[in-house]
Amino acid sequence: MANGGKTLEIRTSPHILSGYSVDTIMFNVVLALLPVAGFAVFAFGLAGLLTLSMAVASCVLTEHLICRAAGKPSTVGDWSVTITGLLYGLTLPPSLPLWMVAAGGVICVALGKALFGGLGYNTFNPALVGRAVLQAAFPVAMTSWIPGFAAGRFSSVPSSTLTLPFTSPEYDAITSATPLALWKFGREATATSDLAMGFISGSAGETSSVLILVGGVYLIARNMMSWRIPASIFATVFVFSGALHLVDPTRYASPIFMLFSGGLMLGATFMATDMVGSPMTSRGCYLYGALIGVVTIVIRTWGGLPEGVMYAILLGNAVTPHLDRWTRPTIYGAKGKEAPT
Amino acid sequence: MRLLGLKTFRHGVHPPESKDETSGLSIRQFPFAPLLIVPLVQHMGAPSIPVVEEGQEVERGQRIGRPDGFMSVSMHAPASGLVRRVALAPSISGRMVPAVYLEPFPGSTQEIEDGTPCPLEATKDEIIAAIQDAGVVGLGGAAFPTHVKLKIPDGKFVDTLIINGVECEPFLTTDHRVMLEESRDIFTGIRYLLKVTGAERVIVAVEANKPDAAEHLREAFPSDLNGSVEVLQVKYPQGAEKMLFSALLGREVPSRGLPLDIHALCCNVATAAQIGQLLPRGRGIQERVITVTGPAVKRKGNYRIPIGTPLRFLLEHVGVADDVNRVFLGGPMMGAAAPSLEISITKGTSGVTAFTDTAAERTHSPVYPCIRCGYCVDACPIFLDPSMLGRLAASEQFSTMADEHHLMDCFECGSCSFVCPSHIPLVQRFRGAKAAVRKSKAGAA
């Protein structure tokens, strides 16, 4: 017999696949985030390392246990929960008590992901869901920052890090303010070069814009990330804050400052682009980016908080299904329709 | 639409071309199988009516089936031999179809009998009748009776004839070889087609991965023909006629309409070559050029294979690897898997591709939930939302798919399934959904 007595498989076309797979995409996002995470550890020492490790561990473990409890195979192998853990950790102040980090990690996955139905169904970015809950629950701890590059950062941790669960941390005298807070509450601008390179205070991962952009460019080059979303966010932020800055440079920060400060780089590059929560159409991506850009600047400029990227992205996530529906392209052949005879 | 200087359409995908192993191989004649099984339905439309009976001796090229109405074609004996049976035979669709079992005479010269020629000077209706009588169907794969397409209804007209030499399916190189080796027949065929359709000009479309074919056709292009050879960007599914019209003419066939609505007509390059070969000699189709290829095939090549050659004989002749696990007719993007090796080569078979376990491995990847990456949305040449359609199909909302999401405009090119990183069998779901919609429509009518 031509096939050596073997059974032939009957499957429907196409018989070849592109080779892209959910787990390879997610793994590459993890790779792209590693330099950012590495810089966070470099800048904040043991505190950064512990925060990130606890964030990833709590997220991964929560997903694994939820899968087990539901009697389903564990989905941690698709790497998506690792991204959630890393992103979540990178948005936290490096001195946040570890028990809060762990609690937030559980919330990220349980509330932000599993409750919605798991990967593919999570309307909101799980990392930001966890962060938003922490922000509401622990406003002081979530806005207490340690300076980067402190001497002895690899040999000791801030006292707040090891705070016992369900107790409030006490902060060292050496907490410092983020550039956005400096501007918001003191109209004090930070040098752009410091912002870009990351020689500032802030969340673990929002400090190095350059490394964030390197990771983003890598993913865009591999067609694993939409370039339209960050491009639209950056353009909107630049134009909107630039216009305000022209009106009154003493009240409104410069567009370069707005672009490079706070969580904008990390959010626009790695969180707004989360495939599950962002639109699929090109026009939808532009609108989504514009919305996030506008809301960010509105909150930063007129809101009570110095930073608004998180809420802007969560709002963008919420309107994504509508954006997809409004921007659905005209199908081939629908234009200039003639009655077929 | 132009990108990088070459015309193309919007969206689409870039599967690996996998054509290098056969594109340089000249067309070779394939031997006769000890028994040819010639299905009487190799085309879209009514089966041909057999005009031979058991025990009858036929000569090569003799008519063995006559058309049953206009939406049907003639069938011819691929070899001189003895009709063993007129009975049912398995087909690619999995259904049994009427067929003529023909045993070629061993050692016969196999000379082809010429019939009554149909000269270029004949009337339009005579040429259309001759094309139907020659049994010509679209050789690109759809096997739509060519003469039906060429019968232009009153009040309609065609200004541009497009000859499709794109061959965007990976692995296949038949059209490529036909363009290189049968250009004379192609241009003769084009003259017939121009006359019948009344088109003012002809565009021969070739993808940029076949520069030798494009150059050869340009050199061979008769100076008295109004037309050109256009080189198109390499992208799948450029060879779909809708994509050709938008790339070359900037016109879109209306949804559910016909190419005639935009005054264009598209014909495969091999179909044109058959017309140019057969009509001047009054013959019918007895064989066609087929690429036999794929990782599991030992002697890959472009073969001129008699219609009715059983797949098992074909594969034994070229040799297949021990770990062959999938055989399909056509290319890997749209080709249908062979349900058994007892089916035979028909006029619509443009390729036979065989995969091994390793080559097929990638399609065994686990299925993940849709992560809304939007790859399918960027791939669909019809601008559908395969992600949404896939989710609706999973919950069997077939009428919503058809009414709100243009399901019936999907022509199953496979681009969405190809790019899906979650490995969701989108096209498979759409086929099922379309069948369900047609069934419920038929039930309602």
Side-chain angles (χ1 to χ4, degrees):
Chain A
M1 252 171 94
N3 57 345
K6 276 188 55 175
T7 327
L8 286 183
E9 248 183 68
I10 305 175
R11 291 168 76 104
T12 58
S13 61
H15 304 283
I16 50 174
L17 296 177
S18 68
Y20 274 69
S21 174
V22 167
D23 53 338
T24 51
I25 294 175
M26 298 297 174
F27 181 68
N28 275 282
V29 177
V30 172
L31 284 185
L33 276 169
L34 283 184
V36 185
F39 185 83
V41 173
F42 175 59
F44 299 104
L46 280 179
L49 182 66
L50 288 174
T51 306
L52 286 179
S53 308
M54 180 58 91
V56 173
S58 59
C59 286
V60 171
L61 197 64
T62 306
E63 176 146 314
H64 184 73
L65 292 178
I66 288 177
C67 288
R68 278 296 168 85
K72 290 174 185 162
S74 177
T75 51
V76 300
D78 66 28
W79 290 99
S80 67
V81 72
T82 311
I83 301 175
T84 297
L86 271 175
L87 284 177
Y88 162 67
L90 290 170
T91 60
L92 298 176
S95 56
L96 192 70
L98 287 178
W99 77 266
M100 292 185 188
V101 178
V106 173
I107 290 165
C108 283
V109 175
L111 195 67
K113 190 172 177 185
L115 198 64
F116 284 91
L119 178 66
Y121 302 95
N122 47 297
T123 309
F124 298 101
N125 189 314
L128 291 179
V129 171
R131 190 192 195 278
V133 170
L134 287 190
Q135 177 96 51
F138 312 112
V140 176
M142 286 294 284
T143 48
S144 298
W145 315 91
I146 51 169
F149 306 99
R153 63 187 187 277
F154 291 110
S155 54
S156 64
V157 294
S159 58
S160 57
T161 298
L162 299 176
T163 309
L164 287 175
F166 308 108
T167 60
S168 293
E170 282 173 25
Y171 281 96
D172 306 339
I174 49 159
T175 55
S176 74
T178 64
L180 275 172
L182 288 174
W183 175 265
K184 179 134 206 146
F185 305 118
R187 293 279 174 266
E188 186 186 323
T190 309
T192 307
S193 58
D194 288 348
L195 286 172
M197 299 312 293
F199 300 121
I200 48 170
S201 281
S203 301
E206 46 177 59
T207 61
S208 178
S209 304
V210 172
L211 290 177
I212 291 168
L213 288 177
V214 167
V217 167
Y218 167 76
L219 290 176
I220 288 167
R222 297 210 58 185
N223 191 26
M224 291 174 173
M225 176 187 281
S226 158
W227 61 269
R228 295 185 177 95
I229 293 170
S232 170
I233 295 176
F234 295 148
T236 308
V237 164
F238 187 84
V239 169
F240 188 19
S241 63
L244 291 173
H245 187 65
L246 284 179
V247 172
D248 185 353
T250 58
R251 273 185 65 202
Y252 305 111
S254 83
I256 299 292
F257 175 80
M258 283 299 195
L259 277 180
F260 285 96
S261 59
L264 188 75
M265 280 290 159
L266 188 72
T269 311
F270 283 103
M271 297 199 217
T273 52
D274 175 23
M275 288 167 168
V276 180
S278 60
M280 291 190 287
T281 65
S282 331
R283 283 187 303 150
C285 287
Y286 294 130
L287 289 174
Y288 170 82
L291 175 76
I292 290 172
V294 167
V295 173
T296 300
I297 297 300
V298 166
I299 294 178
R300 282 184 180 182
T301 308
W302 294 290
L305 295 166
E307 177 57 307
V309 172
M310 176 177 75
Y311 296 111
I313 293 175
L314 288 172
L315 190 68
N317 291 156
V319 298
T320 286
H322 302 283
L323 290 175
D324 266 336
R325 196 158 57 241
W326 293 333
T327 58
R328 191 176 292 156
T330 314
I331 67 156
Y332 178 105
K335 284 169 273 189
K337 195 166 180 168
E338 288 176 53
T341 46
Chain B
M1 184 181 171
R2 260 174 206 277
L3 273 177
L4 305 170
L6 289 177
K7 288 182 178 175
T8 187
F9 62 101
R10 290 172 65 202
H11 288 184
V13 295
H14 293 95
E17 294 168 35
S18 314
K19 292 173 189 274
D20 291 348
E21 284 190 272
T22 55
S23 61
L25 302 175
S26 303
I27 300 169
R28 279 178 288 170
Q29 187 67 40
F30 210 77
F32 289 109
L35 184 68
L36 297 170
I37 305 162
V38 186
L40 288 164
V41 52
Q42 305 185 14
H43 49 267
M44 275 159 74
S48 314
I49 299 168
V51 294
V52 289
E53 48 195 42
E54 266 179 43
Q56 186 178 340
E57 288 186 5
V58 294
E59 287 187 42
R60 189 171 184 201
Q62 184 181 331
R63 197 155 86 153
I64 57 173
R66 64 176 170 82
D68 181 12
F70 189 63
M71 194 59 194
S72 182
V73 294
S74 292
M75 218 61 83
H76 302 80
S80 300
L82 181 69
V83 175
R84 278 289 180 195
R85 292 159 71 194
V86 179
L88 292 177
S91 74
I92 184 71
S93 66
R95 283 189 292 271
M96 300 295 278
V97 296
V100 172
Y101 288 68
L102 180 67
E103 185 183 317
F105 293 135
S108 142
T109 57
Q110 294 293 357
E111 270 174 28
I112 304 178
E113 196 71 357
D114 271 8
T116 322
C118 173
L120 200 53
E121 293 73 34
T123 65
K124 284 184 183 183
D125 284 341
E126 283 167 349
I127 295 176
I128 288 176
I131 289 173
Q132 181 180 21
D133 204 40
V136 179
V137 301
L139 297 190
F144 187 83
T146 302
H147 69 279
V148 176
K149 191 153 79 169
L150 295 176
K151 181 85 184 166
I152 316 292
D154 287 340
K156 294 273 181 187
F157 67 93
V158 171
D159 59 23
T160 310
L161 170 70
I162 290 173
I163 300 298
N164 185 354
V166 170
E167 197 160 55
C168 59
E169 265 280 358
F171 285 99
L172 304 190
T173 53
T174 63
D175 292 347
H176 190 172
R177 293 315 304 180
V178 167
M179 286 189 281
L180 284 174
E181 298 178 39
E182 298 178 1
S183 58
R184 189 196 297 258
D185 293 329
I186 293 172
F187 288 113
T188 308
I190 287 174
R191 288 183 196 277
Y192 281 101
L193 290 168
L194 283 176
K195 165 135 193 194
V196 175
T197 58
E200 298 147 18
R201 58 168 177 162
V202 59
I203 300 176
V204 184
V206 184
E207 233 176 25
N209 56 4
K210 296 177 265 296
D212 51 344
E215 195 184 338
H216 175 70
L217 289 178
R218 275 188 181 139
E219 280 166 13
F221 208 94
S223 53
D224 61 321
L225 272 188
N226 179 24
S228 59
V229 176
E230 285 276 1
V231 176
L232 298 170
Q233 200 185 313
V234 180
K235 196 163 67 171
Y236 180 88
Q238 179 64 79
E241 63 177 18
K242 284 184 173 182
M243 276 60 252
L244 276 173
F245 296 139
S246 48
L248 292 169
L249 307 175
R251 303 178 196 167
E252 290 188 1
V253 182
S255 170
R256 311 310 207 40
L258 291 170
L260 271 182
D261 298 329
I262 54 166
H263 316 304
L265 204 127
C266 179
C267 198
N268 179 267
V269 75
T271 313
Q274 285 279 12
I275 291 173
Q277 235 163 59
L278 301 172
L279 261 58
R281 298 175 183 85
R283 293 179 185 169
I285 293 189
Q286 302 127 29
E287 53 194 12
R288 66 155 298 161
V289 181
I290 294 171
T291 306
V292 184
T293 183
V297 174
K298 287 178 180 156
R299 286 177 294 281
K300 303 175 179 63
N302 304 293
Y303 298 97
R304 195 182 307 282
I305 302 183
I307 303 296
T309 301
L311 198 52
R312 179 180 301 278
F313 175 83
L314 188 156
L315 290 175
E316 277 168 356
H317 188 78
V318 297
V320 289
D322 290 337
D323 58 343
V324 60
N325 91 334
R326 209 182 305 179
V327 176
F328 38 90
L329 302 190
M333 291 300 286
M334 288 185 83
S340 86
L341 294 182
E342 315 313 319
I343 62 169
S344 39
I345 296 303
T346 65
K347 296 171 184 174
T349 313
S350 49
V352 173
T353 314
F355 275 10
T356 57
D357 288 330
T358 26
E361 215 166 63
R362 292 204 327 207
T363 46
H364 287 282
S365 316
V367 174
Y368 292 99
C370 171
I371 56 165
R372 297 176 35 88
C373 63
Y375 288 179
C376 56
V377 174
D378 285 341
C380 180
I382 300 292
F383 287 76
L384 305 177
D385 182 346
S387 161
M388 175 62 89
L389 283 167
R391 266 171 283 161
L392 290 170
S395 51
E396 302 194 352
Q397 301 185 57
F398 301 137
S399 58
T400 313
M401 292 170 75
D403 299 341
E404 292 170 33
H405 297 276
H406 312 282
L407 169 70
M408 304 314 269
D409 285 86
C410 167
F411 67 97
E412 301 166 25
C413 69
S415 298
C416 53
S417 297
F418 173 76
V419 295
C420 180
S422 295
H423 313 125
I424 300 168
L426 293 164
V427 177
Q428 188 180 334
R429 287 187 185 172
F430 302 161
R431 282 194 193 104
K434 283 164 88 172
V437 169
R438 285 199 199 98
K439 206 173 161 188
S440 78
K441 283 235 172 84

